[in-house]
Amino acid sequence: MIFKNLLTEEKVKEIIFKALENSDIFCLITDSEGKILYSNEGVLKITDYQKNELIGKSIYSLLINASEIEKFLKSKKVFKGFIQGKKKSGINFHLYLEIFPIRENKKITGFVYLGEKILGKEKLHKFSNAEEFDIITGLPHEKAFSTVITTHINRYNEPFTLLIADICGFSDLSITYGIEFSEVLLKKITKRIKTFLPSKSFIAKTEADEFLIALFKTTKDEIAIFVSNFFEKFLEPFVINEKSIVVSLNIGISFFPENGKTYEELFNKAKIALERAKKKGENTFSVYEENLEKEIKNSLSLKEKLANLLKEKKFVLYGQPYFSTSNKEISGIEVLLRIRENEKVESIATVIDFLENSGLILKIEDFLFEEIKKIGTKTKIPLSINLSAKSFLSSEIFSKLAELRRALNYPFICEITERLFLEREALEIIKKIKELDIKIAIDDFGTGYSSLFYIENLPIDIIKIDYSFIRRMLDEPKALAIVQTIIDLAKKLGIKTVAEGVENEEQFRILRLLMCDFVQGYYLSEPVPIEDLIKDR
């Protein structure tokens, strides 16, 4: 059967372009740096700009909390969430926005922004601007907030968290210092909260001077970290007219869908939790479900404990050497962090995910770098350090690595996990490390996101074969075959191999026969204080 009315690809593109050009949908195209290259009529209606005023302008000048969006885009992922921007007149607008990277020859060359205005549609909501937004802070009112939440529930039906943050004794502050003072304080509070709001969030204000916050796609640990940051940030005084004011908070929390299926239900549950928090005293929070509150409290306690341990210098450096299979001599030392507390020494492996999510990992790595500078000059044995994939989301990591390279005055080894390969810029990241004259080792190889593409195209120096294969290779022919294949392939590509978790003579003997370059494990040495390893070398 022949279809006479089939559209050609070019015709389809033309129709879609014309539809978008005149649509009320917010549609922008930018280059990779955020410079606007194209704008449709929907953008002009929402922002009140003329097209010639927008072209060439930075997208980030239109958006509030632009740094969060920019950071997200640098991760080369698709962004979906609520954002706030400013019209030409300075009035705020709110969008549900999806941002898609444009890829050409595997490189990001730009971004497409597609959005829908969620507040101010007269045919849906009969709000005036004063009803939509708080005049003092510029934040949406509760009625507008409820519209956003209801839209999210109806459209996505995905879990999220609703928080109500109440300023303790705010009415007393107004009486003591006056209305004008309290209005300035509200503006400063709003500005401070926005500095630590995650990108996938939405904030509003009630008439009772409470702040409403929705956190989307957030784990319980991340919520705990957000609450902790909330309280920490408000320990710093607000200075107004040379008066210094410390503001206290209470926070009530509810979860969708556990605590309600509608905005009204969630708000009421968060309000009940807020009243419970107020009874506990200032700077406290409460979750509607007590078991969830306990979970978040445990996360908060863990963060506080780890921060204190770092402050008290309870983190110590251990080292586990790896040995040449040809002569059993030490060929390098992997630097490991341990926690020494009450005469016990424990690995940080059980809390590494929490450290990454809480942001403490960056402070831990700063400590690690400083300690390595102290001991690294005492030995010429190559040292290897483990870095989190999340460290590379900050450009500062490269200057820190460069400084460490200069301090040691010899090439050390940077161990990265396969989790880094989930980042779009993995190739660029590894190339930058290599440019600093630092060697690259892929840790736990074979357990995550490895592929022949990475081995072939990345300038890798060492592959560390995961202990799970080494442990099973004596009993499982398939595991042995995988180990042999990795070693053979690495040799042909000029890459060294380290077998992790070697625990006995038989494993060592087979790995030597397979021509694995190095072994690491309790068979030859368990992790020991690093000073003990380097004092005679």
Side-chain angles (χ1 to χ4, degrees):
M1 184 183 291
I2 299 173
F3 294 93
K4 295 182 179 179
N5 296 323
L6 283 178
L7 295 172
T8 64
E9 186 178 348
E10 288 302 314
K11 189 65 177 175
V12 170
K13 288 178 181 177
E14 181 186 339
I15 291 169
I16 292 172
F17 176 78
K18 285 181 179 178
L20 272 177
E21 175 67 18
N22 299 303
S23 170
D24 286 340
I25 290 173
F26 183 99
C27 179
L28 278 176
I29 299 175
T30 73
D31 66 12
S32 58
E33 300 300 316
K35 185 170 75 173
I36 297 172
L37 306 176
Y38 167 78
S39 160
N40 76 336
E41 289 296 320
V43 174
L44 307 184
K45 290 175 185 175
I46 291 169
T47 64
D48 294 335
Y49 281 99
Q50 297 298 313
K51 185 168 283 194
N52 64 331
E53 293 175 311
L54 279 179
I55 303 303
K57 190 179 180 74
S58 171
I59 182 67
Y60 304 120
S61 65
L62 284 179
L63 305 179
I64 295 171
N65 281 353
S67 59
E68 284 291 327
I69 303 293
E70 186 174 13
K71 189 194 303 181
F72 194 91
L73 293 183
K74 282 182 178 176
S75 71
K76 311 303 182 192
K77 299 172 183 175
V78 174
F79 173 89
K80 294 183 181 182
F82 298 100
I83 67 103
Q84 186 178 355
K86 279 196 180 294
K87 298 184 178 188
K88 186 178 179 181
S89 61
I91 295 173
N92 291 351
F93 65 85
H94 291 76
L95 298 170
Y96 178 81
L97 194 65
E98 298 188 2
I99 308 173
F100 304 90
I102 303 168
R103 292 188 175 86
E104 294 179 9
N105 298 323
K106 296 183 180 179
K107 289 191 71 175
I108 303 292
T109 58
F111 297 92
V112 176
Y113 295 68
L114 290 175
E116 179 185 7
K117 192 175 181 187
I118 51 176
L119 301 177
K121 289 185 175 180
E122 292 184 5
K123 53 188 176 183
L124 291 179
H125 317 296
K126 304 295 183 183
F127 302 155
S128 67
N129 195 61
E131 286 175 315
E132 286 182 19
F133 301 103
D134 177 67
I135 295 171
I136 298 169
T137 63
L139 294 176
H141 277 316
E142 184 192 341
K143 196 171 183 181
F145 184 80
S146 70
T147 302
V148 170
I149 298 304
T150 302
T151 301
H152 181 83
I153 291 171
N154 292 339
R155 183 178 291 173
Y156 298 103
N157 199 34
E158 293 178 345
F160 67 91
T161 306
L162 191 149
L163 300 89
I164 304 176
D166 180 67
I167 310 301
C168 298
F170 188 80
S171 56
D172 294 336
L173 289 172
S174 299
I175 293 168
T176 305
Y177 296 106
I179 297 296
E180 186 179 339
F181 182 93
S182 63
E183 287 181 352
V184 174
L185 179 59
L186 271 178
K187 289 178 182 177
K188 285 181 173 285
I189 288 171
T190 302
K191 187 176 180 181
R192 186 173 294 183
I193 293 173
K194 286 182 176 179
T195 62
F196 58 88
L197 271 181
S199 57
K200 293 191 176 182
S201 63
F202 194 78
I203 182 171
K205 182 180 160 296
T206 69
E207 292 181 2
D209 295 319
E210 296 164 335
F211 291 87
L212 301 171
I213 298 169
L215 301 177
F216 305 103
K217 295 188 177 179
T218 311
T219 65
K220 296 297 187 296
D221 278 347
E222 289 167 340
I223 292 161
I225 291 156
F226 176 77
V227 171
S228 173
N229 287 341
F230 214 132
F231 290 128
E232 282 180 20
K233 297 291 185 184
F234 276 72
L235 293 175
E236 184 183 341
F238 293 91
V239 180
I240 303 169
N241 299 333
E242 299 182 351
K243 290 185 178 69
S244 182
I245 301 290
V246 176
V247 172
S248 299
L249 303 162
N250 290 116
I251 298 174
I253 304 171
S254 64
F255 295 95
F256 175 84
E258 297 96 305
N259 304 141
K261 300 292 192 292
T262 67
Y263 166 74
E264 289 74 17
E265 289 175 348
L266 293 165
F267 177 84
N268 290 335
K269 300 291 177 62
K271 196 76 173 172
I272 291 169
L274 177 63
E275 294 307 313
R276 190 191 301 158
K278 288 179 180 179
K279 290 177 182 176
K280 298 179 187 177
E282 296 182 358
N283 290 328
T284 59
F285 76 95
S286 183
V287 178
Y288 182 75
E289 286 190 16
E290 291 186 5
N291 62 323
L292 292 174
E293 182 172 340
K294 187 176 180 181
E295 197 175 322
I296 291 177
K297 277 184 176 176
N298 289 340
S299 291
L300 284 171
S301 298
L302 180 58
K303 182 184 178 185
E304 185 178 351
K305 177 184 176 182
L306 291 170
N308 287 335
L309 288 171
L310 183 60
K311 192 175 180 180
E312 294 164 8
K313 298 188 176 178
K314 300 289 187 182
F315 284 84
V316 293
L317 263 59
Y318 268 52
Q320 185 173 29
Y322 52 91
F323 299 81
S324 169
T325 53
S326 61
N327 55 21
K328 290 189 178 180
E329 289 187 359
I330 292 179
S331 301
I333 300 171
E334 179 182 358
V335 181
L336 302 167
L337 270 179
R338 294 288 187 263
I339 297 173
R340 181 182 288 146
E341 186 182 20
N342 301 327
E343 304 303 317
K344 287 178 65 180
V345 177
E346 296 181 3
S347 168
I348 67 167
T350 56
V351 294
I352 193 68
D353 285 341
F354 183 85
L355 288 171
E356 288 186 342
N357 291 328
S358 68
L360 282 174
I361 193 70
L362 300 179
K363 292 181 180 179
I364 298 286
E365 285 176 352
D366 286 345
F367 167 80
L368 175 66
F369 283 15
E370 290 306 312
E371 292 300 304
I372 289 174
K373 286 176 191 175
K374 294 175 188 175
I375 59 100
T377 53
K378 299 177 184 178
T379 181
K380 290 301 177 184
I381 297 175
L383 299 179
S384 66
I385 61 172
N386 292 277
L387 287 182
S388 159
K390 291 200 173 181
S391 300
F392 295 100
L393 296 178
S394 168
S395 57
E396 290 180 11
I397 188 64
F398 300 107
S399 59
K400 290 177 184 177
L401 287 170
E403 186 183 336
L404 182 59
R405 174 66 182 84
R406 285 192 296 271
L408 295 183
N409 201 30
Y410 63 84
F412 62 92
I413 300 159
C414 181
E415 293 193 20
I416 57 178
T417 63
E418 295 171 288
R419 192 184 300 184
L420 180 65
F421 297 153
L422 289 179
E423 301 299 329
R424 298 286 181 189
E425 293 180 310
L427 181 58
E428 291 302 313
I429 288 170
I430 290 177
K431 282 182 177 177
K432 281 184 182 178
I433 297 173
K434 290 294 291 181
E435 287 169 3
L436 298 173
D437 192 24
I438 296 169
K439 293 184 178 181
I440 299 287
I442 304 300
D443 198 13
D444 304 331
F445 186 83
T447 60
Y449 311 97
S450 55
S451 76
L452 295 179
F453 170 82
Y454 296 116
I455 303 175
E456 179 188 3
N457 292 284
L458 296 181
I460 296 165
D461 299 286
I462 300 168
I463 287 174
K464 300 189 75 174
I465 307 169
D466 188 68
Y467 75 94
S468 62
F469 296 111
I470 306 303
R471 188 181 64 228
R472 292 184 288 116
M473 70 179 186
L474 297 180
D475 302 313
E476 299 179 23
K478 287 183 179 179
L480 179 60
I482 289 171
V483 172
Q484 184 172 3
T485 300
I486 293 172
I487 294 170
D488 291 346
L489 181 60
K491 285 214 172 295
K492 289 174 181 175
L493 295 173
I495 299 171
K496 299 291 186 183
T497 49
V498 178
E500 297 181 298
V502 177
E503 297 179 350
N504 55 57
E505 173 68 27
E506 191 173 0
Q507 289 173 340
F508 175 82
R509 183 178 58 79
I510 289 175
L511 289 163
R512 183 169 56 189
L513 289 172
L514 294 176
M515 299 184 70
C516 182
D517 297 294
F518 310 106
V519 295
Q520 182 182 37
Y522 279 51
Y523 169 60
L524 293 174
S525 175
E526 64 182 358
V528 295
I530 200 158
E531 291 285 356
D532 294 348
L533 277 174
I534 65 173
K535 62 184 177 183
D536 298 324
R537 297 178 174 87

